[in-house]
Amino acid sequence: MTETETTAEPRSPGRVVRPVLPVAAADLADGMAFGALAASVGMGVLAPVAMSLLVFSGSAQYGAVAVIGQHGSVWAVIGAAAALNARYLLMGTTIAPALTGSAWSRAGTALLITDGSWAIAHRGEGRYDLRTLRVAGALCLCGWTAGTALGALLGDAIGDPGRLGLDAAYPVFFLGLLRSHLKTARAWGLAVLGVVTAGALVAWAPPGIPVLVAGAAGAVAGTALGVRR
């Protein structure tokens, strides 16, 4: 098995779904925060729900709503979304060799790649469980879209998402995902490199760029360490 192939051992439906449920729950909570925010800038209910169903990218959608709230242009919305989603270029390069099947099958799987599904499907050493990725992506899409609808409908009742802690749901979730991968000194070193790099850029770089640069730095450092072995 090459380092980009998926895991070979069969997994029961229960073993696939159980670890995915916290990911979908985090998307549900974050979707509610997004829906409430989108409604507060005058997008109504249908537009945010359609956006979540078709775009399915929290960072890009939050960026777009922020620009809309500031009465920015369409090009400003597109630019913010592109910058925030640029990290998927790096994520795509890691999982592309593992994608199999027809072009439609590969495209469908690629559309279900999110930060959460990508991380939870990773099995180490460049291997991915595509079944887990697809299940996680599908459940996250359901959670994110349903959460958006609830947030947009109950926007006035929810008020400030920060007051209920909804804005903290995803950061806490990502810290949990990160912790599950910190099993070696190499992993800790790459994580610290990413945090320091992003932290140094976040105060002055455009949104999305710190994460992209931090990911690129980690990829370069990880490759260099692998070559030295």
Side-chain angles (χ1 to χ4, degrees):
M1 178 182 289
T2 66
E3 67 175 13
T4 54
E5 288 178 339
T6 58
T7 53
E9 66 272 15
R11 309 184 75 210
S12 67
R15 290 185 63 192
V16 173
V17 172
R18 277 195 296 272
V20 167
L21 292 180
V23 187
D27 265 309
L28 177 68
D30 199 35
M32 290 177 65
F34 168 75
L37 179 63
S40 71
V41 299
M43 290 184 65
V45 175
L46 292 180
V49 172
M51 190 180 193
S52 287
L53 185 61
L54 298 175
V55 178
F56 187 32
S57 173
S59 56
Q61 291 176 232
Y62 273 115
V65 168
V67 174
I68 291 171
Q70 297 297 319
H71 307 291
S73 67
V74 173
W75 291 111
V77 171
I78 294 174
L84 289 166
N85 274 351
R87 68 189 184 280
Y88 285 109
L89 294 174
L90 290 173
M91 294 164 62
T93 59
T94 65
I95 202 169
L99 296 179
T100 58
S102 66
W104 285 109
S105 174
R106 296 195 301 272
T109 300
L111 290 174
L112 293 175
I113 296 175
T114 67
D115 299 298
S117 66
W118 178 84
I120 203 170
H122 187 231
R123 295 291 176 261
E125 302 300 327
R127 295 174 296 118
Y128 292 88
D129 185 335
L130 294 185
R131 186 183 182 190
T132 296
L133 185 144
R134 294 181 184 114
V135 171
L139 289 180
C140 285
L141 176 60
C142 293
W144 174 250
T145 306
T148 299
L150 288 173
L153 287 169
L154 304 175
D156 293 336
I158 293 175
D160 180 11
R163 179 173 57 84
L164 300 178
L166 294 178
D167 58 333
Y170 235 56
V172 171
F173 165 70
F174 277 120
L175 287 175
L177 281 181
L178 175 63
R179 181 64 186 88
S180 68
H181 288 280
L182 299 179
K183 298 178 180 179
T184 65
R186 178 173 179 265
W188 274 99
L190 293 175
V192 170
L193 173 64
V195 170
V196 171
T197 303
L201 296 174
V202 72
W204 56 271
I209 298 302
V211 174
L212 180 63
V213 175
V220 172
T223 300
L225 290 173
V227 170
R228 291 178 182 177
R229 284 182 175 180

